[in-house]
Amino acid sequence: MLKLTPAQRRSLREQAHGLNPVVMVGDAGLTEGVIKEISSSLDAHGLIKIRVFGDDRANRIDIYQAICAQLNAAPIQHIGKLLVVYRPKKEKTATLPEDLKSRAPREVKTVRPGAGAMRNRVKKITVKGNERVTAGGKVKRAKTRQTSAKKKSLS
């Protein structure tokens, strides 16, 4: 189980006050599907409320402890049939597919030679997906793709 300080737990209780229950545990208890759904909700939100149906308080406490132990989460609050659980969100690394990388905005360094005793001028330019940099260092729109004469005659 994840350990938190009392101050951290208090802050998370404040944040959880306005949340609605995301997962509901029914009469079947903690099934594999329920554990998987709780895990995905924790990955997405970090802090969630879980509603446990059933009148047996000892059973609800066992479910609460089992959730925290199996999913490496921290117990935040247990009031009646509501359980509040926290696990830090996983950092997502956004990677673009290879075909989109060339179209994404990118930074290009241009060098313009200086006249006489002047130094070369280095300039960083942001180029969007539909633009290109000329040999002179100017930004222009990309050229349209050529189509064959055969395709033009068919349309």
Side-chain angles (χ1 to χ4, degrees):
M1 270 195 287
L2 190 65
K3 300 288 183 187
L4 296 176
T5 64
Q8 290 172 326
R9 192 169 281 115
R10 184 180 330 114
S11 172
L12 289 169
R13 272 198 309 260
E14 290 173 8
Q15 293 174 21
H17 181 72
L19 296 178
N20 291 326
V22 177
V23 180
M24 299 190 188
V25 180
D27 293 335
L30 279 180
T31 61
E32 200 173 306
V34 171
I35 292 288
K36 189 175 179 181
E37 186 64 30
I38 292 171
S39 179
S40 66
S41 296
L42 283 170
D43 288 341
H45 303 288
L47 180 68
I48 62 169
K49 273 188 183 176
I50 303 167
R51 181 176 299 278
V52 181
F53 294 111
D55 294 329
D56 188 15
R57 180 175 170 77
N59 187 26
R60 286 194 305 262
I61 292 172
D62 292 340
I63 288 174
Y64 192 38
Q65 291 171 349
I67 289 170
C68 293
Q70 288 180 18
L71 299 178
N72 192 24
I76 301 298
Q77 191 174 28
H78 172 220
I79 296 179
K81 296 182 180 184
L82 289 176
L83 315 174
V84 181
V85 180
Y86 170 75
R87 183 173 70 187
K89 286 196 256 186
K90 294 181 181 176
E91 292 296 323
K92 291 185 179 178
T93 55
T95 56
L96 291 172
E98 285 299 320
D99 60 334
L100 291 179
K101 282 186 181 179
S102 62
R103 291 186 245 157
R106 61 192 186 281
E107 201 168 271
V108 177
K109 190 188 300 184
T110 60
V111 179
R112 283 189 156 175
M118 292 180 61
R119 293 185 179 176
N120 292 343
R121 290 181 288 184
V122 178
K123 193 175 184 183
K124 289 184 180 180
I125 302 172
T126 302
V127 179
K128 297 182 181 86
N130 63 342
E131 296 174 339
R132 63 184 174 91
V133 180
T134 63
K138 294 183 179 180
V139 178
K140 291 190 172 182
R141 284 196 179 152
K143 294 179 180 175
T144 57
R145 190 171 181 179
Q146 293 180 346
T147 56
S148 67
K150 193 175 188 180
K151 285 186 181 177
K152 283 182 184 176
S153 67
L154 290 176
S155 59

